[in-house]
Amino acid sequence: MNYSKINNLTGWICFLIATVTYVLTLEPSVSFWDCGEFIASALKMQVVHQPGAPLFLMIQRFFSLFAFGDVTKVAYFMNVGSAVASGATILFLFWTITALAKKVLVKENEEVSKSNLISIMGAGIVGALAYTFSDSFWFSAVESEVYALSSLFTAIVFWGILKWEANANEPRADRWLLFIAYIMGLSIGIHLLNLLTIPAIAFVYYFKKTKNPTTAGTIKAGIVGILILAVIQYGIIQYLVSFGAYFDLFFVNTLGMGFGTGVIFFAILLIAGLTWGIRYSIKHEKKILNLALLSTVLIIFGYGSFAMIIIRAKANPNLNNSSPDNAFSFLGYLNREQYGDRPLLFGPNYNSQGVNVIEGKTLYRKGAEKYEVAGKKTEYEYDRTTPFPRMYSEDPGHVAYYKDMMGFSDDHFPSLIDNIGFLMSYQVGQMYMRYFMWNFVGRQNDDQGQGSIYEGQWLSGIKPIDGIMLGDQKNLPPSITESNAYNRFFFLPLIMGLLGAIWHFKRNQKDAGIVGLLFFFTGIAIVLYLNQKPMEPRERDYAYAGSFYAFAIWVGFGVLALREWIFKKMTPATGGILATVAGLFAAPIIMAAQGWDDHDRSTKMVAHDIAVDYLQSCAPNAILFTYGDNDTYPLWYAQEVENIRPDIRLVNLSLFDTDWYINGMKRKQNESAPLPITMKESQYVQGERDVMYYQDKDIAGNVELKTIVELLLSENNEDKVPLNDGRKVNFIPTKNFKLTINKADAIKNGAATAADSARIAPALEWTFNKGYVTKGTLAMFDILVHNDWKRPIYFASTVPSDQYNGLDKYLYNEGLALRLMPFKPDTAAAKNEQLNIAPLYNNVMNKFVWGNVKNAKYLDTQSADDISIFTNVFNNTVSGLLKEGKTEDAKKVVNRYFEVMPEKFYGMRSMMGAYFMAENLYLLNDQKRANTLIERSATYIEKELTYLADVSQSKKKFVGGQNVQLGMSFLNQMARTAAEYKQTKLSKDLNDKFAMLEARFSAFFPPQQ
């Protein structure tokens, strides 16, 4: 019986099961968040957001070749790349579990017995497949993101150190350590999570090389592991580039040589130094020094994948985030400077007051012939600080969250104990333990969890236990029971893991401690380092998948615990078989059965289709302003990969305040001409016109926007105001702007038709809505002044209204984008409800696609939100058509709504959309369908609010206030609407429901006086 062959074959079977699972459930096109940017950048070798992922892009570019030129299949095959990498992760996890299990059960040089073989393979299968079907890993496995490939490299590294350990006494065994170093270097080009395995690796090395480990030695090994991690993280990844940058500064600015010469000189010095060191270590037989230097060289070799970033940045591709084409911009790119810093060990609380500004290091930018000073990095000195600050954000929403969660008064200054309390309750409890329990206990639903006990919590399925944490569970609402993510594991995978961990610590404390270290550093240590603010825009469980990987090892070891403790009276072979079967049902089988429906994205096309709809909302050659990830990245994908509407210029307002992004907007991209930005680069480079404030000069009337732009770009000191440090800066003297319209030009350029001539305003007049102007806002003003209505200007419907810069009343809805029109404001229209009905109707009926939302097997939270966006489009179109008396067209739109929109409600927002459609149906005299929508909406509200009433009563506090208020308001409005349209019985039923729910919640509100 050949153990090695069986181990290899079983591992590959696990790989096959995992890979087939992921290929069957992967998204057929682009996904939300970063995937659109990654796919577009991988296809054309472009530069993604900081700190980059060059190796990931190159590997994904390889998988794109399988599309054989079919651009609609590029995303699919890149997703397949993630699926294969994830399947390979399972393969190495299996081999890791079996290697660790064999160490415990089989003595060195001892033959593996049949019973031990069964148990070892069983442990590997159960642990590997449990991780296969774990919620967080499965999510990343089916989309083109870095986390799948990063997990593979982590798995290879941890497997590699076990291979070294097994062969450490053989000649040339240290080649495994060099292999690990190279893999780690490569992994930097994917994601830095891989480096967190280093402390665990240090312990493996120490325990293998030390016959009699001591407590002091163990502590030293831990310190050395952390130091090695720091050396790679800061010394190699950051300071090597930093030294190169400052060498270049000296060679360019002092010696007058060309850009890059200092970097080349430093590289020669580094290569020469490492070469000399390696030769010295060989000559003098310094084995540890030789191993350290060779490992450093291999890490740098792997890290060399970042050369792709600089090479491609110099080519100025369409997507060129930060344009890191020189030493200092590349350094800032690696250091993630655009994301700012967060305090870790010492710093302010949210209510600390800045009392002084401290200047830090000088910032440099590349000039025409030399590096120029772009300013200095500044930090605030605060009146009060605290050790270990966890509540440091000054954002008003975050401050309110801190106070509400921790029960602080307005004048309370959080202490160290308070900060630790927030760490445990939110950062560990909400943002780690909740995710951990999702994976091994069960999940309530996939609503974005911000701390409420009815959205995104963990849930086991054992109602009495769940009730202790979540309140009365007897009347679970549709938002839970109808959610695909309503997964109940009944604690079984968790129990398997805990049994496995206990067994492992009893049988081999050293190895169990190493797995525990991996569990800690890829979990809680990340929590401590990230120091997360509240109200994250999305769930962050993917960041902790490495921790769940470590726990899956113990889930596998649960098989060994069951054999030894539960099935001990049976023969070892029979016990191993029964333990394996029990383990399979307790973990991977129940996890797969419960989790399949909320991970099967095979029919989901929402991210792709809504990107198409955003673009199709725009007239030819348009300028479309976007803001967030999900109204930008899928659109980048659509343009860069599938070549959909390449005539449109996308402008992400989140990036528009950077010089490199404005530079890109001044170049032709795809089929889009350069934007009409007249500013010279010297006027907006880093450090110039970053912020210009409003200073009221009591100017009467509205000032021409062209004059404002000229004033903000003026180099005349008389057009500037002095600052405390002696500098003079530009400013805006008024917030009342106007943009004069040449009616003939507006008609000639297609901004309006001749029939609309009377509607054209002599000038756009508005009040700027901020107290400052950034260079991005200045660039937008520049475009408005010099566009002359030649190119249509749009804002994506999801752009925050403050980003309209006060132009709200001139924006007209044409679908998923609001078009800037030269019309007199419609004073009769409600805010943000001005419609351009002709293009809106054409878009809905002839251009838009709807993401297969009616028939998709699963829609995630973001897709569900987009259903509400789609529903709003339908309601706006029907309302606009009815307002213009186009009843037949309105009926066609309604029929299209019922053809493509799902009946299922995905939360209160989609219920609201159904109610508004019911109002339109009553106007169309379609009472039957209107009543049906009202009844379904009311039933949904009743079930949701009954649950919240149960929970409130059991918890003895009011829970779900926002949903209760929303539900009661709409239920009351439904009753009135039904009465208005003579639906007497329906109105009575609705009033009865309202009265019943009002009585349920009355205990939480004081009686009216």
Side-chain angles (χ1 to χ4, degrees):
M1 189 180 298
N2 190 316
Y3 171 85
S4 181
K5 285 184 179 179
I6 293 174
N7 187 43
N8 288 339
L9 177 62
T10 311
W12 283 106
I13 291 172
C14 288
F15 164 81
L16 188 64
I17 292 170
T19 304
V20 169
T21 294
Y22 299 145
V23 170
L24 288 176
T25 57
L26 60 78
E27 196 155 348
S29 187
V30 65
S31 303
F32 282 116
W33 302 105
D34 297 348
C35 299
E37 181 194 21
F38 281 133
I39 295 170
S41 297
L43 182 67
K44 296 183 177 179
M45 289 288 99
Q46 304 185 88
V47 182
V48 298
H49 64 273
Q50 301 173 356
L55 183 61
F56 169 77
L57 298 180
M58 289 186 271
I59 291 173
Q60 290 298 78
R61 177 70 177 95
F62 167 76
F63 277 96
S64 75
L65 299 177
F66 292 101
F68 294 105
D70 183 352
V71 293
T72 64
K73 295 295 184 183
V74 167
Y76 173 82
F77 282 104
M78 288 192 186
N79 292 344
V80 168
S82 288
V84 172
S86 299
T89 304
I90 301 304
L91 170 68
F92 284 100
L93 172 58
F94 173 86
W95 286 339
T96 295
I97 295 171
T98 56
L100 289 169
K102 185 183 177 187
K103 279 183 65 180
V104 178
L105 297 180
V106 183
K107 294 179 181 178
E108 198 167 348
N109 300 320
E110 181 182 83
E111 186 72 24
V112 181
S113 67
K114 180 181 178 181
S115 61
N116 280 338
L117 178 66
I118 292 170
S119 299
I120 292 169
M121 295 302 114
I125 291 169
V126 169
L129 293 184
Y131 193 59
T132 297
F133 300 112
S134 64
D135 182 73
S136 299
F137 185 66
W138 198 345
F139 179 88
S140 296
V142 295
E143 64 181 20
S144 185
E145 247 279 22
V146 296
Y147 297 101
L149 203 58
S150 175
S151 294
L152 172 59
F153 276 66
T154 300
I156 292 172
V157 163
F158 199 69
W159 168 82
I161 194 61
L162 296 179
K163 291 293 288 184
W164 170 83
E165 185 187 34
N167 299 279
N169 297 327
E170 298 177 7
R172 301 175 61 207
D174 284 355
R175 69 186 188 274
W176 284 105
L177 297 177
L178 298 178
F179 167 77
I180 289 169
Y182 184 54
I183 293 296
M184 281 193 167
L186 288 172
S187 76
I188 297 168
I190 300 168
H191 199 280
L192 297 180
L193 285 174
N194 184 277
L195 301 181
L196 296 172
T197 60
I198 292 173
I201 289 172
F203 279 102
V204 174
Y205 186 90
Y206 171 73
F207 289 138
K208 187 65 179 179
K209 288 294 186 179
T210 307
K211 289 185 178 179
N212 299 305
T214 63
T215 301
T218 303
I219 294 172
K220 288 179 182 177
I223 294 171
V224 169
I226 293 172
L227 286 175
I228 293 172
L229 171 60
V231 166
I232 297 174
Q233 167 76 29
Y234 299 104
I236 293 178
I237 296 177
Q238 293 183 17
Y239 282 105
L240 273 186
V241 178
S242 182
F243 281 129
Y246 282 96
F247 264 80
D248 211 43
L249 177 68
F250 174 74
F251 273 70
V252 174
N253 285 24
T254 303
L255 302 182
M257 303 183 76
F259 290 108
T261 51
V263 174
I264 294 171
F265 182 79
F266 174 71
I268 293 171
L269 279 182
L270 179 65
I271 293 168
L274 289 170
T275 303
W276 180 86
I278 292 169
R279 289 173 63 87
Y280 173 84
S281 67
I282 294 171
K283 182 177 180 180
H284 295 278
E285 298 183 353
K286 304 285 187 181
K287 187 176 179 181
I288 298 297
L289 177 62
N290 180 261
L291 180 63
L293 290 173
L294 286 174
S295 297
T296 301
V297 168
L298 288 170
I299 290 171
I300 293 173
F301 276 175
Y303 185 31
S305 65
F306 274 86
M308 170 262 190
I309 297 290
I310 301 173
I311 292 167
R312 293 302 298 151
K314 286 185 175 292
N316 282 324
N318 290 345
L319 307 183
N320 188 16
N321 198 300
S322 300
S323 189
D325 61 355
N326 64 84
F328 280 98
S329 61
F330 183 58
L331 178 62
Y333 182 80
L334 290 175
N335 289 342
R336 293 169 56 91
E337 288 182 356
Q338 77 178 39
Y339 296 109
D341 300 320
R342 57 171 65 90
L344 292 178
L345 298 178
F346 202 82
N349 282 318
Y350 61 84
N351 52 357
S352 299
Q353 299 296 317
V355 294
N356 191 24
V357 177
I358 303 172
E359 287 191 346
K361 69 174 184 178
T362 302
L363 301 174
Y364 292 97
R365 62 175 181 246
K366 183 182 178 183
E369 297 179 354
K370 292 185 176 183
Y371 288 110
E372 300 171 348
V373 174
K376 290 185 179 291
K377 191 170 184 179
T378 58
E379 294 181 0
Y380 280 107
E381 182 180 350
Y382 292 92
D383 58 346
R384 294 178 293 178
T385 55
T386 181
F388 205 60
R390 303 291 103 178
M391 295 180 283
Y392 57 90
S393 173
E394 298 176 354
D395 180 279
H398 297 163
V399 172
Y401 194 100
Y402 295 142
K403 292 178 180 177
D404 181 62
M405 170 170 267
M406 304 302 293
F408 294 157
S409 62
D410 290 342
D411 58 351
H412 179 75
F413 185 78
S415 64
L416 170 62
I417 300 301
D418 292 330
N419 278 283
I420 292 174
F422 181 76
L423 164 72
M424 299 308 298
S425 60
Y426 178 78
Q427 294 180 332
V428 173
Q430 173 78 3
M431 299 303 289
Y432 174 75
M433 282 306 303
R434 181 170 61 100
Y435 298 146
F436 176 81
M437 301 296 268
W438 279 4
N439 283 273
F440 301 106
V441 173
R443 187 173 180 179
Q444 187 184 57
N445 53 34
D446 56 1
D447 290 348
Q448 172 83 31
Q450 299 289 5
S452 61
I453 61 176
Y454 57 93
E455 294 173 328
Q457 289 289 351
W458 66 268
L459 173 146
S460 69
I462 304 173
K463 289 192 176 182
I465 295 177
D466 295 335
I468 294 171
M469 181 188 76
L470 301 173
D472 191 341
Q473 298 289 293
K474 68 176 180 290
N475 293 309
L476 292 177
S479 59
I480 294 177
T481 58
E482 294 179 9
S483 170
N484 292 60
Y486 178 41
N487 298 333
R488 291 141 292 167
F489 305 151
F490 308 104
F491 286 101
L492 295 175
L494 176 66
I495 291 169
M496 284 290 294
L498 293 176
L499 288 174
I502 294 168
W503 182 90
H504 200 194
F505 274 101
K506 282 181 173 290
R507 296 294 298 270
N508 189 326
Q509 195 172 34
K510 294 175 186 175
D511 281 0
I514 288 164
V515 175
L517 270 174
L518 181 65
F519 178 75
F520 172 80
F521 273 96
T522 54
I524 300 298
I526 295 176
V527 172
L528 297 174
Y529 178 74
L530 289 179
N531 196 5
Q532 285 176 320
K533 303 172 185 176
M535 302 172 67
E536 289 284 332
R538 62 181 293 199
E539 301 286 15
R540 301 296 189 185
D541 56 302
Y542 55 82
Y544 309 109
S547 184
F548 310 147
Y549 177 97
F551 192 78
I553 295 173
W554 285 330
V555 172
F557 278 21
V559 171
L560 307 179
L562 289 177
R563 186 191 81 159
E564 189 169 310
W565 297 338
I566 306 299
F567 301 111
K568 60 183 177 181
K569 292 185 178 180
M570 300 181 177
T571 63
T574 303
I577 292 171
L578 291 176
T580 300
V581 172
L584 284 170
F585 277 98
I589 289 177
I590 192 172
M591 292 166 76
Q594 289 284 306
W596 192 283
D597 61 349
D598 56 300
H599 292 90
D600 185 359
R601 303 196 216 169
S602 59
T603 55
K604 186 166 81 69
M605 291 290 291
V606 180
H608 175 278
D609 285 3
I610 200 166
V612 172
D613 294 346
Y614 273 118
L615 294 170
Q616 294 291 17
S617 292
C618 301
N621 301 310
I623 300 167
L624 174 60
F625 291 108
T626 64
Y627 188 77
D629 293 357
N630 286 332
D631 59 15
T632 303
Y633 293 161
L635 279 66
W636 283 353
Y637 161 83
Q639 284 193 326
E640 298 292 313
V641 178
E642 296 195 19
N643 202 37
I644 296 170
R645 295 301 305 272
D647 58 303
I648 295 173
R649 176 58 62 97
L650 299 174
V651 183
N652 185 290
L653 294 171
S654 303
L655 303 175
F656 212 22
D657 287 332
T658 59
D659 53 1
W660 58 267
Y661 192 74
I662 296 173
N663 286 340
M665 294 297 102
K666 293 173 69 174
R667 294 191 293 268
K668 180 181 179 181
Q669 292 184 5
N670 301 317
E671 295 176 16
S672 168
L675 293 185
I677 298 175
T678 62
M679 294 189 295
K680 299 173 184 176
E681 185 175 358
S682 61
Q683 294 175 310
Y684 61 81
V685 291
Q686 181 186 2
E688 292 290 334
R689 293 179 173 82
D690 292 333
V691 183
M692 295 162 285
Y693 290 99
Y694 165 66
Q695 191 169 101
D696 191 1
K697 294 298 182 181
D698 294 323
I699 299 174
N702 291 67
V703 177
E704 192 68 47
L705 188 61
K706 182 178 181 181
T707 303
I708 296 293
V709 171
E710 290 172 351
L711 183 67
L712 291 172
L713 291 175
S714 174
E715 298 297 344
N716 190 334
N717 281 336
E718 293 181 0
D719 294 329
K720 300 181 180 182
V721 292
L723 299 180
N724 293 334
D725 60 5
R727 291 184 299 125
K728 286 193 171 184
V729 295
N730 299 87
F731 71 103
I732 49 172
T734 179
K735 292 186 179 182
N736 298 317
F737 301 160
K738 72 175 180 179
L739 183 67
T740 299
I741 299 170
N742 184 309
K743 185 180 293 189
D745 285 347
I747 295 172
K748 182 182 72 174
N749 293 327
T753 64
D756 288 322
S757 177
R759 296 178 61 196
I760 298 176
L764 304 186
E765 295 184 343
W766 73 100
T767 300
F768 182 56
N769 60 1
K770 300 186 184 78
Y772 59 89
V773 172
T774 63
K775 66 181 65 177
T777 307
L778 175 57
M780 183 191 288
F781 290 165
D782 198 1
I783 292 169
L784 291 173
V785 168
H786 296 99
N787 184 49
D788 293 328
W789 303 97
K790 292 174 184 173
R791 298 181 68 169
I793 293 176
Y794 290 84
F795 291 83
S797 60
T798 46
V799 169
S801 59
D802 67 299
Q803 296 297 318
Y804 302 157
N805 292 323
L807 288 164
D808 310 51
K809 61 186 178 181
Y810 298 106
L811 298 178
Y812 287 73
N813 192 325
E814 293 188 0
L816 291 182
L818 308 175
R819 183 173 180 174
L820 183 68
M821 299 296 287
F823 295 154
K824 300 168 186 174
D826 183 356
T827 55
K831 186 177 181 181
N832 296 332
E833 286 189 6
Q834 295 182 129
L835 305 177
N836 232 5
I837 197 64
L840 177 57
Y841 176 77
N842 183 48
N843 288 335
V844 169
M845 297 303 294
N846 302 314
K847 292 184 178 182
F848 283 3
V849 281
W850 308 100
N852 195 32
V853 294
K854 190 178 183 70
N855 302 309
K857 296 175 183 176
Y858 171 65
L859 296 175
D860 55 39
T861 306
Q862 181 60 48
S863 300
D865 285 345
D866 289 340
I867 288 177
S868 299
I869 294 174
F870 287 153
T871 305
N872 288 341
V873 170
F874 278 110
N875 280 318
N876 285 333
T877 308
V878 175
S879 299
L881 289 167
L882 289 173
K883 187 177 179 181
E884 293 189 3
K886 298 177 180 178
T887 304
E888 292 306 312
D889 286 342
K891 289 179 179 179
K892 292 177 184 176
V893 174
V894 167
N895 290 335
R896 176 61 56 86
Y897 168 85
F898 282 102
E899 286 173 12
V900 299
M901 289 292 105
E903 291 186 5
K904 177 180 176 180
F905 291 140
Y906 290 87
M908 286 290 185
R909 284 185 64 190
S910 57
M911 178 280 300
M912 290 162 53
Y915 164 69
F916 290 130
M917 180 56 71
E919 285 190 321
N920 283 323
L921 287 168
Y922 281 130
L923 291 172
L924 287 168
N925 203 30
D926 190 344
Q927 295 178 351
K928 182 178 179 181
R929 287 197 291 193
N931 289 345
T932 300
L933 284 181
I934 291 282
E935 289 167 356
R936 283 179 43 228
S937 300
T939 299
Y940 183 85
I941 292 172
E942 181 182 25
K943 290 180 178 180
E944 290 292 321
L945 268 57
T946 297
Y947 169 70
L948 292 176
D950 291 345
V951 172
S952 297
Q953 186 174 349
S954 63
K955 288 286 186 180
K956 294 182 172 56
K957 66 176 182 179
F958 186 40
V959 172
Q962 185 175 6
N963 276 4
V964 171
Q965 183 179 11
L966 195 64
M968 294 297 286
S969 173
F970 269 82
L971 201 56
N972 187 41
Q973 185 60 37
M974 288 175 194
R976 292 179 181 177
T977 302
E980 180 183 349
Y981 289 97
K982 306 297 188 290
Q983 307 302 303
T984 308
K985 182 178 182 303
L986 177 58
S987 178
K988 181 181 182 304
D989 290 344
L990 294 170
N991 279 318
D992 290 345
K993 284 183 170 65
F994 181 88
M996 181 271 293
L997 290 169
E998 187 176 44
R1000 290 291 311 271
F1001 288 105
S1002 62
F1004 301 99
F1005 299 98
Q1008 296 292 325
Q1009 298 296 325

